[in-house]
């Protein structure tokens, strides 16, 4: 009473009684033993963010290995011909940020069907940071979708302006920035009162289909020179 939304007043949980079992379908969950020393209210507090700071609580970890699949990326060409035509006057002199690349990448991940790309092919590709070119694991058809995109835009030529590159091995993850708290990773962006960029967000595909790719680019990119720089996932 007196709350707009229901207030959590109690949290309970179960314990897995066969922790040695690897098959998740065979796991057995029952009431925790009397000597169980974890407070589920504390866990609930932690998974909601823990209040003033941010931290995570890992109680167990299960790794599932997969067969290695090909890793490729498709980078915009910096050849004189492409820079003079398709990628003319790119922001900051970098064709990665050219509106053509921004729109192509956004279309590939947001509305792949218009490029004759399947959901699985689209989900096999993504981009890191502010780079607006696809990096793909496994099966994909970026080269064909690039040609389809150029035809949609009534652009002649440009087939050689997206260069396929096979990557040997796996990308090296960037090291976490230094922090005065040894063993901890600092918040990024730092907590504050001012609004930050859209980051780490889930975007409903139905919304993109309703407003259109270009409107979605404008909203997500917030007018940035770099285009779609926010980290997002289409759901």
């Amino acid at each position: 009473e007196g709350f707009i939304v229901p207030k959590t007043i109690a949290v309970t949980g179960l314990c897995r009684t066969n922790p040695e079992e690897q098959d998740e379908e065979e796991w057995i969950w029952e009431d925790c033993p009397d000597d169980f020393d974890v407070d589920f209210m504390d866990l609930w507090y932690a998974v909601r963010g823990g209040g003033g700071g941010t931290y995570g609580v890992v109680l167990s970890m299960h790794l599932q290995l997969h067969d290695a699949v090909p890793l490729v990326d498709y980078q915009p060409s910096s050849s004189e011909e492409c820079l003079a035509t398709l990628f003319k006057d790119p922001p900051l002199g970098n064709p990665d940020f050219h509106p053509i690349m921004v729109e192509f990448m956004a279309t590939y991940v947001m509305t792949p069907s218009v490029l004759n790309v399947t959901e699985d092919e689209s989900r096999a590709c993504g981009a890191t940071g502010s780079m607006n070119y696809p990096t793909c694991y496994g099966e994909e058809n970026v080269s064909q979708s690039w040609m389809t995109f150029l035809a949609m835009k009534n652009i002649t030529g440009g087939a050689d302006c997206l260069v396929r590159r096979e990557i040997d091995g796996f990308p090296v993850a960037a090291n976490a920035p230094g922090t005065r708290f040894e063993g901890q990773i600092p918040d990024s962006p730092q907590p504050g009162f001012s609004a930050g960029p859209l980051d780490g967000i889930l975007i409903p595909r139905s919304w993109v289909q309703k407003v259109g790719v270009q409107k979605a680019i404008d909203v997500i990119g917030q007018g940035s020179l770099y285009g779609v720089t926010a980290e997002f996932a289409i759901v």
Side-chain angles (χ1 to χ4, degrees):
E1 184 177 353
F3 292 94
I4 298 176
V5 295
K7 179 183 178 181
T8 301
I9 58 175
V11 178
T12 60
L14 299 174
C15 292
R16 183 153 63 95
T17 60
N18 57 339
E20 72 287 345
E21 176 59 56
Q22 299 297 315
D23 188 350
E24 186 173 350
E25 295 183 355
E26 300 296 328
W27 289 355
I28 300 174
W29 298 93
E30 296 179 349
D31 291 335
C32 297
D34 294 337
D35 59 352
F36 185 65
D37 59 355
V38 174
D39 188 329
F40 282 106
M41 283 295 289
D42 288 343
L43 291 179
W44 177 243
Y45 177 76
V47 300
R48 290 187 300 137
T54 57
Y55 62 90
V57 177
V58 178
L59 298 181
S60 64
M61 179 180 295
H62 180 76
L63 300 179
Q64 182 178 2
L65 301 181
H66 300 270
D67 294 333
V69 295
L71 175 63
V72 299
D73 66 16
Y74 292 80
Q75 298 190 14
S77 172
S78 297
S79 67
E80 292 184 4
E81 179 180 357
C82 292
L83 291 177
T85 54
L86 189 62
F87 301 135
K88 187 176 181 179
D89 299 326
L92 304 181
N94 190 336
D96 293 348
F97 307 142
H98 195 280
I100 287 292
M101 284 304 302
V102 174
E103 185 177 355
F104 170 67
M105 187 64 199
T107 303
Y108 194 93
V109 298
M110 292 180 179
T111 55
S113 60
V114 303
L115 299 176
N116 297 321
V117 174
T118 67
E119 294 287 340
D120 288 341
E121 290 168 337
S122 174
R123 290 173 181 150
C125 301
T128 59
S130 60
M131 300 298 101
N132 292 302
Y133 57 79
T135 300
C136 309
Y137 283 104
E139 297 297 326
E140 42 73 27
N141 66 346
V142 174
S143 297
Q144 183 60 46
S145 63
W146 174 246
M147 298 303 298
T148 303
F149 175 77
L150 294 179
M152 287 172 47
K153 304 293 291 184
N154 295 318
I155 298 174
T156 58
D160 297 330
C161 291
L162 193 66
V163 180
R164 185 180 191 273
R165 184 184 66 156
E166 294 188 8
I167 302 175
D168 185 16
F170 298 93
V172 178
N175 291 327
T179 171
R180 61 190 177 93
F181 301 108
E182 184 177 355
Q184 299 182 18
I185 298 176
D187 294 329
S188 178
Q190 293 291 331
F193 295 104
S194 60
L198 293 174
D199 210 15
I201 55 178
L202 298 177
I203 302 173
R205 191 180 301 277
S206 58
W207 174 75
V208 178
Q209 294 170 341
K210 179 180 179 180
V211 303
V213 170
Q214 190 56 57
K215 176 64 175 179
I217 292 173
D218 294 340
V219 172
I220 300 169
Q222 293 187 336
S224 168
L225 285 174
Y226 307 108
V228 182
T229 60
E231 297 176 3
F232 65 90
I234 301 295
V235 294

